[in-house]
Amino acid sequence: MAHIRIPKGWEIPERLATPEHRVLDRRAFLATLGAAALGTASLPQRLGAQAAGSPYPAKRNPAYTLDRPITDEFVVTRYNNFYEFSAAKNAVQHLATRLRTDPWTIEVTGLVHKPQTFDVSDLIRRMPLQERLYRLRCIEAWSMAVPWTGFPLKALIDLVEPMSSARFVRLVSFLRPDEAPNQRLKPSHPWPHAQGLTLAEATHELAFLATGMYGHEMPKQNGAPIRLVVPWKYGFKSLKSIVAIEFTATQPHTFWTDIAPHDYHFTANVDPSERYEGHSQATEQDISTGDVHPTFLYNGYGVFVAHLYENSLRR
Ligand SMILES: Nc1nc2c(c(=O)[nH]1)N[C@H]1C(S)=C(S)[C@@H](COP(=O)(O)O)O[C@H]1N2
Ligand SMILES: [Mo]
């Protein structure tokens, strides 16, 4: 059985513990790196983005704006929750390199008139991609602001034509114990990782399938080649590396609701009045700047989504 190597070196908790000067140091470091960085790490990426036929970078949709700066990509790609690989956030980037993301398909089944399997590269060519700036709030009280590239989940749902009996959507991630070490090390967990939404939530304009971020294709540690982003719900709902979508009449089982139903309820809308494992959800800390922000109901997206919960017990 493979031994998990936790990379040493740069670690976010230390950065969060001593935010200000470290962040400034890093900015100064990047500034001095300047032209040199363009010549190395960024250049192939830039060329890739400009290559004929690349959908990246996509045009930004101006409807979604931020109240804070975009989070440093360096941090967003090194501080990851991707439990299939490791519970150690800074180990995910390296372990996820083993995930084979091409070819990749999404199989759509259940209560739909046109069940079908989509090839993700075809989908990327076929769908008009756009960029959206969304904040993402993890139940662990950290947050980030990310430029995602993708298309509304509704665009895919329209292609399969849900039956009138369909009320929920279950999204499923991969089951590949030979590529994802924690699927071997934690065999009692309910793999594959699945999440669920009501059909009304899934067809809401804000529910987004992202194939890229920061103007290029999705890094593996962030959920390549295609992931969900539901900005008004806790981050655990934003399922990475989706292989199947099923339409059901009843509320589906999901990964965290099965493991810890009290802490992770199905709806999981961001709510500052809640507690999680005894901790208040009133504030959140930006993973890059270390800034502490108040947490908003529906993560601040209430103007878009509050009407979905008007007649329900759970806001
Ligand atoms: N397949 C899968 N998707 C997942 C997770 C996971 O462990 N496995 N973690 C979730 C959690 S808890 C969060 S906060 C976000 C983190 O996304 P990021 O690493 O891109 O910041 O992904 C979500 N999607
Ligand atoms: Mo999370």
Side-chain angles (χ1 to χ4, degrees), residues 194-217:
Q195 285 300 333
L197 299 170
T198 66
L199 191 58
E201 292 170 334
T203 53
H204 189 282
E205 170 66 14
L206 277 180
F208 202 57
L209 280 177
T211 60
M213 63 180 356
Y214 295 89
H216 52 76
E217 69 177 30

Side-chain angles (χ1 to χ4, degrees), residues 81 138-140 142 235-236:
N81 276 342
C138 175
I139 202 163
E140 296 163 339
W142 55 262
F236 71 83

Side-chain angles (χ1 to χ4, degrees), residues 80-84 144 173 193 222 227 235-236 238 240:
N80 299 108
N81 276 342
F82 206 159
Y83 207 48
E84 286 84 339
M144 59 187 192
S173 191
H193 194 145
N222 295 97
R227 72 173 291 174
F236 71 83
S238 289
K240 296 174 174 181

Side-chain angles (χ1 to χ4, degrees), residues 57 101 172 180:
T101 54
V172 186

